[in-house]
Amino acid sequence: NAGVTQTPKFQVLKTGQSMTLQCAQDMNHNSMYWYRQDPGMGLRLIYYSASEGTTDKGEVPNGYNVSRLNKREFSLRLESAAPSQTSVYFCASSVGNRGVLGYTFGSGTRLTVV
Amino acid sequence: TQLLEQSPQFLSIQEGENLTVYCNSSSVFSSLQWYRQEPGEGPVLLVTVVTGGEVKKLKRLTFQFGDARKDSSLHITAAQPGDTGLYLCAGAWGATRFGAGTRLTVKP
């Protein structure tokens, strides 16, 4: 019963480096999401994919790109990391679009950009 | 920007006490969700409410959706140390927005 699996769990980057966060779900959900969580600000949507082959910007997309590789996998890429991207990143999936009935979250990636 | 305000931000109580946390907005939601998040983990969905005035119970937790579908409350009866965590509400009305959470500590 894996649910949503994210890798890596922790990462430290230098300013300007690039990296890709990986996410996979085994619940046959159509929609997948990337959120970031910062203290006092709640979870903010970066990008989402309503179904395989589609992606859309969320509330805070600048500095990020995504790829919906197939129905199971949705990756988040930071092309040139900045200290403002230090955060905890969560991947999530949902049965319906936009998570109206709720999300299943992964355990997160804690990213520090120095 | 649609905002969800949760109160209180922090709550520290003794085991056995009752508590209520709140989630408020000026927007009408099509649904409202409550999550609990433990340190180092992702949020876990506790309940989704969709009908104004709806009340749902999950063991010692009672969730209520306001009649106008703009607010919600979570009541915990006889809190236990295992209830410690960050409680998040999320309102859906097309996009889904999350509140900043209530951090609950239950002391033995």
Side-chain angles (χ1 to χ4, degrees), chain A residues 19-21 34 46-47 55 57 61-68 74-80 85:
Chain A
M19 78 162 295
T20 299
L21 281 64
W34 277 103
I46 304 170
Y47 270 94
T55 60
K57 295 178 180 179
N62 291 345
Y64 306 95
N65 285 300
V66 291
S67 294
R68 183 75 183 266
F74 189 38
S75 63
L76 178 71
R77 183 161 178 83
L78 286 69
E79 291 291 352
S80 179
Q85 294 178 305

Side-chain angles (χ1 to χ4, degrees), chain A residues 4-114:
Chain A
V4 178
T5 303
Q6 289 183 236
T7 55
K9 185 82 171 173
F10 301 95
Q11 184 71 49
V12 179
L13 290 178
K14 294 182 178 180
T15 298
Q17 287 185 319
S18 63
M19 78 162 295
T20 299
L21 281 64
Q22 306 288 351
C23 175
Q25 53 95 7
D26 62 2
M27 296 170 290
N28 203 35
H29 286 171
N30 287 320
S31 301
M32 297 185 73
Y33 312 81
W34 277 103
Y35 281 90
R36 60 179 288 173
Q37 186 175 36
D38 302 290
M41 301 192 71
L43 286 152
R44 293 181 292 168
L45 182 64
I46 304 170
Y47 270 94
Y48 69 99
S49 171
S51 60
E52 187 178 353
T54 69
T55 60
D56 284 286
K57 295 178 180 179
E59 185 183 357
V60 288
N62 291 345
Y64 306 95
N65 285 300
V66 291
S67 294
R68 183 75 183 266
L69 304 171
N70 48 55
K71 189 170 186 178
R72 292 185 63 249
E73 299 174 285
F74 189 38
S75 63
L76 178 71
R77 183 161 178 83
L78 286 69
E79 291 291 352
S80 179
S84 62
Q85 294 178 305
T86 293
S87 187
V88 182
Y89 291 84
F90 290 100
C91 178
S93 68
S94 69
V95 173
N97 191 17
R98 306 312 298 270
V100 172
L101 296 180
Y103 299 92
T104 301
F105 284 91
S107 58
T109 296
R110 186 173 295 274
L111 175 66
T112 302
V113 183
V114 298

Side-chain angles (χ1 to χ4, degrees), chain A residues 37 59 98-101 103, chain B residues 31 33 35 37 48 96-97:
Chain A
Q37 186 175 36
E59 185 183 357
R98 306 312 298 270
V100 172
L101 296 180
Y103 299 92
Chain B
S31 74
Q33 304 144 30
Y35 296 81
Q37 185 177 16
T48 300
T96 297
R97 299 281 183 161

